[in-house]
């Protein structure tokens, strides 16, 4: 998962990843000046035992987000839950303010009609187990867009001043009369903020769009080029994806086909200054 | 090995158009090769957007399958896929042919003109087709395959000298670059050798490298390296179709004109559904650009699926979006599989089914007359896509500076569109 979201792997590429040995630390640049310190902990039993004893202080201190990944096909659910509980205890002890996410992963191996029920079941077990802490559960798979949904929510928690961002986006949308505006982080193309003025029938569209664009980015990279901006239109809509600030991309969807592209692009250009200023203010604080 | 378990659908003929003149003009491609060489996979991947990994589960094709492929009023194809289990019978057994008698591989050399297999008359098929696409499995031992190819070419020369032969050296995804060129050279030589061996009156081929070979009788044979796991199969098939298209010369001329008039670097005319390029301009293209254009089409269609639905669909919640898949593209509407009954002598004719397959309807209702897209890449290049008709899109590659004169380009493209529609 980490490779796909942060290192531009495609789902097929992940086959060549080996098992993670002990803890792999990586630093990921997010939104320009934010650096995420990602600790990818190997899941082998030997390591797990170690985490809760010798390395406990090291690993569980100063944690902002805990992401626990469950393999939905695991035969040893009790053992998994036991480890999860140990994690929770350590978190409670060292970083009680951390946000907790549980990902029920590899859902593609379950047949479609069973997915909702199995996930609901797991979700119940996990929320019960996590009390008094609160956890958010997601079902994921690297082969579809559910991966992006979960990670979008995760990084959403980490974006500074996300409320201010949303307010500005809403203003922007009102002014240019857009149906919808999405804000993406540049490297991972995860949706970090959005404003919807016209209801849309597909609740899963954000992650789908992340997925679509990521796929295209991957194919562009084969030509050693990257895309800078794009515009897609048809008789019922027009959608523009442009760089907004050095770290974010914006997607504007307009359903009035009479508004010419130039007008919207100009509006986006003007809005850039506002958003850049917003980002700088946040960085300063 | 006639499949008697399939349902017996009513006996409509494979032709969709009742107009005899259009049916006559429809180029026919005969797709053949040994069993398990990959013919059905190729058809499925190109025409019905099957994922390449799924093709492992396809069963052997028992009968002749006909695909009608149409993108617009003037481009029509018929692709006939001959099953690989061809048995060869000497002519004396023609009256009692069924599927069960033994194959006699040693009879390759004689009575080629009466080759009958599973009830199909090769001679008739060859007479009516314009191109033969022969698939050779590069991962297998291909000597038998080449022998069959030579026989077909021999038969074809006597029956219909205007046929083009396209040889797809298939399944090369596992081979290294060196192995690929070795295989190609080897097959090329073997085909030439076998020809001279049989002692026919075909002159020696001129020793030009691989792309096109003609001997003094004008037999046109081309070789392509292909694989369904990347875009090479689309590119190869595009080239085959481009050569068969009667309007190709005219389209190429139009595209070249567009290039000079609007300062564009490259232009392609694509069929949206199958991502085959129907026409390109005269400049050389590389496969990466072709792949990028295919991806651009995917992007356009996927985004349009999400946001560009015709009004009236709002308000319905989508719970399970089974159709969506960014890597596959949209599922096709209205595709059924086809088989055509060509063998009329035997009483077994009743068992051979006919169901019709057509790709005439517009596949994507979100791809409408105002569909267009502009993608700017780093390095100053841009891709520009514009709809031509329900099935076709024009994709141009140009410099970003040239895009500044977008109004002129739009006008030129509109003129192009009108000319194409008039064709």
């Amino acid at each position: 998962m980490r490779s796909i979201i942060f290192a531009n792997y495609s789902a097929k590429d992940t086959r060549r990843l080996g098992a993670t040995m002990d803890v792999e630390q990586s630093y990921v640049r997010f939104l320009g000046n934010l650096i995420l310190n990602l600790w990818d902990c190997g899941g082998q039993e030997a390591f797990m035992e170690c985490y809760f004893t010798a390395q406990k202080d090291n690993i569980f201190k100063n944690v902002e987000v805990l992401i626990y990944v469950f393999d939905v096909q695991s035969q040893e659910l009790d053992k998994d839950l036991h480890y999860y509980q140990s994690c929770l205890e350590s978190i409670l002890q060292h970083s009680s303010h951390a946000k907790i996410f549980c990902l029920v992963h590899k859902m593609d191996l379950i047949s479609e009609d069973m997915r909702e029920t199995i996930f609901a079941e797991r979700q119940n077990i996990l929320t019960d187990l996590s009390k008094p802490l609160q956890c958010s559960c997601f079902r994921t798979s690297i082969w579809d867009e559910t991966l992006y949904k979960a990670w979008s929510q995760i990084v959403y928690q980490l974006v500074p001043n996300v409320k201010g961002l949303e307010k500005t986006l809403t203003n922007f949308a009102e002014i240019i009369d857009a149906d919808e505006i999405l804000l993406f982080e540049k490297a991972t193309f995860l949706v970090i903020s959005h404003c919807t003025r016209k209801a849309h029938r597909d609740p899963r569209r954000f992650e789908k769009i992340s997925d679509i664009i990521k796929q295209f980015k991957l194919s562009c990279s084969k030509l050693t080029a990257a895309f800078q901006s794009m515009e897609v239109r048809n008789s019922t809509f027009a959608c523009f994806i442009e760089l907004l600030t050095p770290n974010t991309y914006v997607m504007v969807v307009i359903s009035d086909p009479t508004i010419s592209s130039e007008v919207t692009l100009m509006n986006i250009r003007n809005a850039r200054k506002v958003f850049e200023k917003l980002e700088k203010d946040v960085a300063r604080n | 090995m006639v499949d008697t378990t399939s349902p017996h659908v009513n006996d409509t003929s494979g032709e969709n158009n009742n107009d005899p003149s259009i049916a006559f003009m429809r180029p026919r491609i005969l797709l053949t090769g040994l069993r398990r060489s990959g013919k059905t996979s190729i058809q499925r991947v190109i025409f019905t957007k099957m994922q390449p990994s799924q093709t492992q589960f396809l069963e052997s094709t028992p009968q002749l399958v006909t695909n009608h492929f149409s993108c617009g009023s003037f481009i029509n194809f018929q692709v006939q896929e001959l099953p690989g289990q061809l048995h060869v019978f000497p002519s004396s057994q023609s009256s009692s042919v069924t599927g069960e008698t033994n194959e006699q591989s040693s009879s390759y050399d004689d009575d080629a003109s009466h080759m009958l297999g599973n009830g199909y008359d090769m001679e008739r098929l060859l007479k009516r087709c314009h191109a033969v696409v022969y698939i050779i499995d590069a991962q297998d031992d291909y000597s038998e395959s080449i022998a069959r190819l030579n026989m077909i070419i021999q038969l074809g020369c006597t029956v219909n000298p205007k046929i083009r032969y396209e040889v797809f050296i298939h399944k090369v995804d596992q081979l290294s670059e060196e192995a690929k060129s070795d295989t190609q050279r080897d097959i090329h030589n073997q085909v030439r050798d076998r020809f001279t061996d049989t002692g026919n009156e075909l002159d020696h081929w001129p020793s030009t490298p691989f792309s096109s070979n003609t001997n003094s009788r004008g037999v046109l044979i081309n070789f392509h390296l292909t694989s369904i796991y990347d875009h090479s199969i689309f590119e190869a098939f595009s080239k085959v179709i481009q050569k068969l298209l009667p309007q190709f010369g005219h389209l190429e001329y139009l595209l070249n004109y567009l290039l000079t008039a609007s300062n564009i670097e490259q232009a392609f005319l694509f069929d949206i559904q199958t991502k085959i390029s129907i026409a390109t301009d005269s400049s050389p293209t590389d496969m990466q650009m072709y792949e990028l254009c295919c991806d651009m089409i995917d992007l356009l269609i996927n985004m349009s699926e999400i946001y560009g639905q015709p009004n009236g669909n709002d308000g319905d919640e989508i719970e399970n979006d089974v159709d969506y898949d960014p890597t596959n593209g949209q599922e096709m509407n209205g595709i059924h599989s086809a088989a055509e009954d060509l063998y009329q002598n035997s009483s077994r004719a009743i068992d051979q089914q006919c169901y019709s397959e057509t790709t005439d309807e517009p596949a994507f209702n979100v791809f409408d007359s105002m569909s267009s897209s502009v993608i700017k890449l780093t390095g100053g290049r841009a891709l520009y896509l514009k709809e031509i008709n329900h099935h076709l899109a024009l994709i141009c590659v140009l410099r970003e500076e040239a895009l500044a004169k977008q109004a002129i380009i739009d006008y030129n493209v509109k003129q192009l569109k009108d000319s194409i529609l008039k064709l």
Side-chain angles (χ1 to χ4, degrees):
Chain A
M1 275 196 260
R2 172 166 64 99
S3 314
I4 295 182
I5 300 270
F6 294 106
N8 280 328
Y9 274 49
S10 75
K12 273 200 296 199
D13 291 338
T14 57
R15 285 219 187 97
R16 46 187 168 97
L17 289 171
T20 309
M21 289 295 136
D22 206 2
V23 180
E24 273 180 25
Q25 272 202 51
S26 56
Y27 291 91
V28 174
R29 201 159 248 269
F30 194 74
L31 284 182
N33 43 22
L34 207 62
I35 302 213
L36 304 179
N37 192 353
L38 223 65
W39 293 46
D40 183 357
C41 306
Q44 271 84 330
E45 273 193 47
F47 302 134
M48 296 291 273
E49 296 296 329
C50 194
Y51 300 149
F52 303 122
T53 46
Q55 295 191 317
K56 193 152 88 151
D57 290 346
N58 193 18
I59 295 186
F60 289 100
K61 229 184 216 167
N62 287 330
V63 170
E64 293 280 335
V65 175
L66 168 74
I67 306 170
Y68 202 92
V69 185
F70 292 94
D71 178 347
V72 73
Q73 285 203 321
S74 148
Q75 304 293 339
E76 304 165 327
L77 187 57
D78 289 336
K79 209 189 216 175
D80 294 343
L81 293 175
H82 168 69
Y83 281 132
Y84 177 58
Q85 257 185 314
S86 315
C87 275
L88 288 180
E89 280 163 17
S90 315
I91 285 278
L92 206 53
Q93 215 180 345
H94 296 280
S95 320
S96 50
H97 59 278
K99 303 214 174 65
I100 304 180
F101 292 91
C102 295
L103 303 185
V104 181
H105 197 45
K106 303 195 188 171
M107 290 299 284
D108 50 288
L109 299 170
I110 307 274
S111 75
E112 278 217 52
D113 32 342
M114 300 286 297
R115 283 181 198 170
E116 275 308 314
T117 26
I118 294 192
F119 175 61
E121 210 182 293
R122 288 294 169 91
Q123 192 171 17
N124 286 334
I125 299 178
L126 290 169
T127 24
D128 281 341
L129 206 56
S130 312
K131 297 203 171 105
L133 294 165
Q134 280 201 317
C135 80
S136 316
C137 299
F138 293 95
R139 59 180 183 93
T140 58
S141 159
I142 58 174
W143 297 100
D144 61 32
E145 74 284 354
T146 51
L147 181 68
Y148 292 97
K149 175 166 183 190
W151 280 85
S152 241
Q153 294 289 68
I154 293 174
V155 300
Y156 183 82
Q157 306 289 340
L158 303 169
V159 175
N161 192 20
V162 73
K163 293 292 167 201
L165 214 53
E166 279 179 346
K167 195 157 154 295
T168 319
L169 271 184
T170 318
N171 280 343
F172 185 41
E174 298 276 327
I175 295 173
I176 64 173
D177 199 21
D179 281 4
E180 186 156 59
I181 302 192
L182 302 180
L183 204 62
F184 298 97
E185 194 274 336
K186 180 169 166 182
T188 58
F189 254 92
L190 292 171
V191 176
I192 52 179
S193 185
H194 71 96
C195 160
T196 309
R197 283 176 73 229
K198 185 164 152 199
H200 196 279
R201 61 200 170 91
D202 186 357
R204 291 161 54 187
R205 62 193 181 283
F206 298 146
E207 45 269 23
K208 285 184 191 171
I209 293 173
S210 287
D211 203 0
I212 294 172
I213 298 182
K214 214 72 208 274
Q215 295 286 340
F216 188 72
K217 262 182 93 169
L218 277 173
S219 6
C220 275
S221 61
K222 279 190 228 152
L223 239 100
T224 60
F227 89 89
Q228 280 183 328
S229 69
M230 63 171 84
E231 173 193 331
V232 176
R233 41 174 8 139
N234 101 5
S235 57
T236 54
F237 85 106
C239 132
F240 304 87
I241 301 183
E242 293 277 332
L243 193 65
L244 188 64
T245 70
N247 308 307
T248 55
Y249 265 85
V250 70
M251 176 165 126
V252 175
V253 181
I254 296 189
S255 60
D256 181 355
T258 60
I259 299 181
S260 85
S261 323
E262 270 313 311
V263 169
T264 313
L265 290 172
M266 197 164 60
N267 284 329
I268 295 178
R269 243 174 277 146
N270 292 335
R272 267 195 200 129
K273 303 188 192 90
V274 175
F275 282 92
E276 271 172 18
K277 185 163 175 302
L278 200 66
E279 227 175 66
K280 278 210 193 83
D281 288 342
V282 167
R284 226 179 295 134
N285 295 348
Chain B
M1 277 194 328
V2 176
D3 186 1
T4 50
T5 56
S6 316
H8 173 44
V9 185
N10 61 333
D11 227 350
T12 54
S13 97
E15 302 287 320
N16 257 0
N17 279 322
N18 295 325
D19 186 347
S21 62
I22 294 185
F24 200 78
M25 269 181 7
R26 202 178 262 224
R28 275 180 198 237
I29 301 176
L30 193 65
L31 186 64
T32 183
L34 287 190
R35 34 202 297 273
R36 305 306 294 173
S37 53
K39 308 180 286 296
T40 315
S41 313
I42 291 179
Q43 282 216 83
R44 289 277 178 263
V45 167
I46 295 185
F47 295 106
T48 64
K49 287 197 174 319
M50 189 182 262
Q51 272 288 68
S53 45
Q54 302 287 325
T55 56
Q56 296 171 54
F57 307 115
L58 288 173
E59 294 169 2
S60 285
T61 317
Q63 355 242 352
L64 185 79
V65 173
T66 304
N67 241 326
H68 296 282
F69 166 52
S70 157
C71 49
S73 52
F74 59 99
I75 301 177
N76 286 302
F77 291 100
Q78 206 177 50
V79 178
Q80 290 179 318
E81 180 192 338
L82 207 53
Q85 297 93 319
L86 271 182
H87 300 291
V88 181
F89 307 101
S91 54
S92 54
Q93 293 185 10
S94 60
S95 53
S96 58
V97 159
T98 56
E100 311 126 15
T101 40
N102 314 329
E103 65 177 21
Q104 300 171 20
S105 45
S106 59
S107 66
Y108 272 158
D109 290 330
D110 39 63
D111 290 340
S113 56
H114 296 286
M115 193 158 73
L116 292 165
N118 274 9
Y120 300 116
D121 186 346
M122 275 302 282
E123 212 178 288
R124 252 193 85 202
L125 285 177
L126 285 174
K127 238 187 233 165
R128 291 166 70 187
C129 82
H130 299 88
V132 172
V133 173
Y134 193 81
I135 316 285
I136 296 183
D137 184 346
Q139 289 181 0
D140 243 348
D141 170 32
Y142 37 74
S143 36
E144 193 190 327
S145 197
I146 296 183
R148 171 81 60 79
L149 170 65
N150 285 333
M151 210 173 47
I152 292 180
I153 296 182
Q154 232 169 296
L155 183 59
C157 285
T158 54
V159 161
N160 183 351
K162 285 191 289 195
I163 298 182
R164 324 177 68 99
Y165 299 92
E166 309 280 345
V167 180
F168 283 11
I169 303 173
H170 198 50
K171 304 191 193 171
V172 294
D173 42 283
Q174 303 288 346
L175 303 177
S176 67
E177 280 306 316
E178 214 180 285
K180 279 187 205 174
S181 49
D182 283 345
T183 314
Q184 193 172 11
R185 201 179 313 131
D186 190 28
I187 292 182
H188 175 91
N189 289 336
Q190 280 200 36
V191 177
R192 174 169 45 172
D193 287 347
R194 294 284 175 100
F195 249 101
T196 53
D197 270 357
T198 56
N200 278 350
E201 290 149 23
L202 288 167
D203 301 333
H204 284 276
W205 296 3
S207 52
T208 51
F210 313 118
S211 45
S212 171
N213 300 284
T214 58
N215 59 15
S216 64
R217 285 235 205 136
V219 178
L220 281 159
I221 307 187
N222 284 322
F223 295 86
H224 307 264
L225 291 163
T226 61
S227 159
I228 51 176
Y229 286 97
D230 61 32
H231 281 255
S232 56
I233 183 66
F234 291 97
E235 209 187 335
F237 217 85
S238 299
K239 293 207 178 104
V240 173
I241 287 190
Q242 279 173 16
K243 286 183 205 138
L244 287 181
L245 205 55
Q247 300 95 339
F248 179 67
H250 196 64
L251 286 172
E252 195 180 19
Y253 173 75
L254 283 174
L255 287 175
N256 284 335
Y257 197 68
L258 181 68
L259 250 64
T260 47
S262 312
N263 201 9
I264 296 179
E265 288 182 352
Q266 284 181 325
F268 304 89
L269 206 58
F270 270 91
D271 172 65
I272 296 288
Q273 228 157 280
T274 58
K275 296 205 270 260
I276 289 184
S277 96
I278 301 290
T280 69
D281 59 281
S282 315
S283 58
T285 65
D286 59 359
M287 188 141 92
Q288 277 102 350
M289 193 45 76
Y290 185 85
E291 278 188 47
L292 195 64
C293 292
C294 289
D295 291 326
M296 185 179 182
I297 295 178
D298 276 338
L299 181 89
L300 178 84
I301 298 293
N302 287 328
M303 291 299 261
S304 305
E305 290 285 320
I306 295 182
Y307 283 109
Q309 295 288 352
N311 291 325
N313 288 343
D314 296 344
D316 304 333
E317 277 281 308
I318 296 190
E319 290 299 324
N320 289 319
D321 226 300
V322 242
D323 293 344
Y324 165 75
D325 194 336
T327 50
N328 287 351
Q330 181 68 345
E331 281 176 44
M332 298 281 278
N333 308 323
I335 302 294
H336 327 277
S337 56
E340 186 181 332
D341 176 11
L342 276 193
Y343 185 67
Q344 276 134 21
N345 296 342
S346 154
S347 55
R348 283 290 205 104
I350 306 173
D351 290 326
Q352 292 176 348
Q353 284 72 11
C354 270
Y355 14 18
S356 67
E357 173 163 2
T358 173
T359 53
D360 277 343
E361 306 101 44
F364 302 113
N365 60 346
V366 293
F367 184 66
D368 60 19
S369 58
M370 276 190 58
S371 281
S372 76
S373 172
V374 178
I375 298 184
K376 296 198 186 132
L377 302 172
T378 54
R381 272 196 295 193
L383 295 169
Y384 179 74
L385 183 155
K386 204 92 189 163
E387 181 263 3
I388 300 284
N389 70 19
H390 271 303
H391 297 270
L392 297 177
L394 173 75
I395 299 186
C396 304
V397 180
L398 53 154
R399 306 286 313 167
E400 212 173 309
E401 302 84 53
L403 199 58
K405 303 220 181 71
Q406 195 162 355
I408 299 186
I409 298 177
D410 285 343
Y411 179 72
N412 285 337
V413 172
K414 188 167 173 310
Q415 297 291 63
L416 178 79
K417 178 173 167 172
D418 293 337
S419 331
I420 292 181
L421 293 175
K422 268 192 234 150
L423 270 179

